[in-house]
Amino acid sequence: MENVALSVRELKVSYRTIKPMNVKNIFSGKARRSSKFEALHGVSFDVEKGEILGIVGENGSGKSTLLRAVAGIFSPDSGSVDTFGNSVALLAIGVGFKKALSGRENILLSGLLLGFSKKQITEKMDEIIDFSGLRDFIDAPVSTYSSGMHSKLAFSITAVLEPDMLLIDEVFSVGDKRFQKKSYDKMRQLISSENRTVIIVSHSLETLKKLCTRILWLDSGNVKMIGRPKEVLKAYSEYMS
């Protein structure tokens, strides 16, 4: 296990879903009924240090749930996730910021949660702000940010601080064309490090084909296939056509 950066074993994650109430039930005082939905059914795989793993699957297949479980945002019902002490950053829309705090305060908080010292984050603060292009808004509450601004800031923190493991959930298509190109170029630079591990969820098969060393195909919460990009993406494309 010396070269393994991430080990996932028999991972199961469930949600409680609440059925919407109709008008009759609202006034009758009846309680809402809830049901259990299992998003991941015993998923297992390893990712080696320096590997770039892509994840594909239809909407609702468990891709984002898996990334959030690896990042420690979701607690599994059973199974395990071992990151072997690596710092892990999740890039996803709407995840990771305290909306009442300013962009600058969120940079500091995010950096501390990634395991960096206050001194290290402060030294990189201007670089993060400049990369994001949000200097005019950096001291405003994140609650006032658009989804594009939110994603720019999240990407910039990760890109500049460079954690050991990057989890990327559909963020390449957010923001203007200029920032998309800048973020894509920066991501290629980051993942060129043989010590940095990357997991990418994307609907863009072309992006996954260009960037990834292996592909994991999730289907209804199960691993349907894992292997070389050409083989898995071909099988997935045929399945989806």
Side-chain angles (χ1 to χ4, degrees), residues 130-180:
D130 288 340
F131 191 94
S132 73
L134 298 174
R135 187 167 289 277
D136 291 343
F137 310 95
I138 204 65
D139 293 307
V142 167
S143 60
T144 64
Y145 286 17
S146 67
S147 61
M149 293 166 70
H150 186 289
S151 296
K152 284 181 178 182
L153 185 60
F155 186 92
S156 301
I157 293 168
T158 302
V160 174
L161 291 179
E162 301 187 7
D164 302 318
M165 188 181 302
L166 293 174
L167 311 177
I168 304 166
D169 192 358
E170 292 287 1
V171 297
F172 288 120
S173 60
V174 177
D176 52 73
K177 292 292 183 183
R178 183 182 174 194
F179 190 82
Q180 285 177 26

Side-chain angles (χ1 to χ4, degrees), residues 48-203:
E48 293 188 359
K49 185 181 293 185
E51 187 174 8
I52 307 159
L53 178 72
I55 301 179
V56 294
E58 296 181 80
N59 290 335
S61 61
K63 303 184 300 296
S64 294
T65 299
L66 177 57
L67 287 196
R68 282 156 176 74
V70 171
I73 295 170
F74 290 169
S75 297
D77 295 299
S78 62
S80 64
V81 174
D82 194 342
T83 58
F84 301 97
N86 291 300
S87 57
V88 180
L90 171 63
L91 279 172
I93 298 170
V95 173
F97 287 151
K98 297 291 185 183
K99 293 188 176 181
L101 300 180
S102 69
R104 189 185 304 274
E105 290 167 328
N106 271 292
I107 291 173
L108 181 59
L109 179 60
S110 297
L112 292 171
L113 290 172
L114 285 173
F116 295 93
S117 68
K118 185 176 180 180
K119 182 175 184 293
Q120 288 173 312
I121 302 163
T122 302
E123 288 173 350
K124 296 279 190 177
M125 183 69 75
D126 283 339
E127 187 179 349
I128 293 169
I129 295 169
D130 288 340
F131 191 94
S132 73
L134 298 174
R135 187 167 289 277
D136 291 343
F137 310 95
I138 204 65
D139 293 307
V142 167
S143 60
T144 64
Y145 286 17
S146 67
S147 61
M149 293 166 70
H150 186 289
S151 296
K152 284 181 178 182
L153 185 60
F155 186 92
S156 301
I157 293 168
T158 302
V160 174
L161 291 179
E162 301 187 7
D164 302 318
M165 188 181 302
L166 293 174
L167 311 177
I168 304 166
D169 192 358
E170 292 287 1
V171 297
F172 288 120
S173 60
V174 177
D176 52 73
K177 292 292 183 183
R178 183 182 174 194
F179 190 82
Q180 285 177 26
K181 184 180 186 308
K182 184 165 70 168
S183 61
Y184 182 82
D185 291 343
K186 182 65 174 179
M187 186 55 58
R188 292 201 70 137
Q189 177 190 329
L190 286 174
I191 65 181
S192 66
S193 169
E194 61 184 20
N195 293 319
R196 183 162 296 106
T197 307
V198 183
I199 302 177
I200 304 173
V201 165
S202 178
H203 286 292

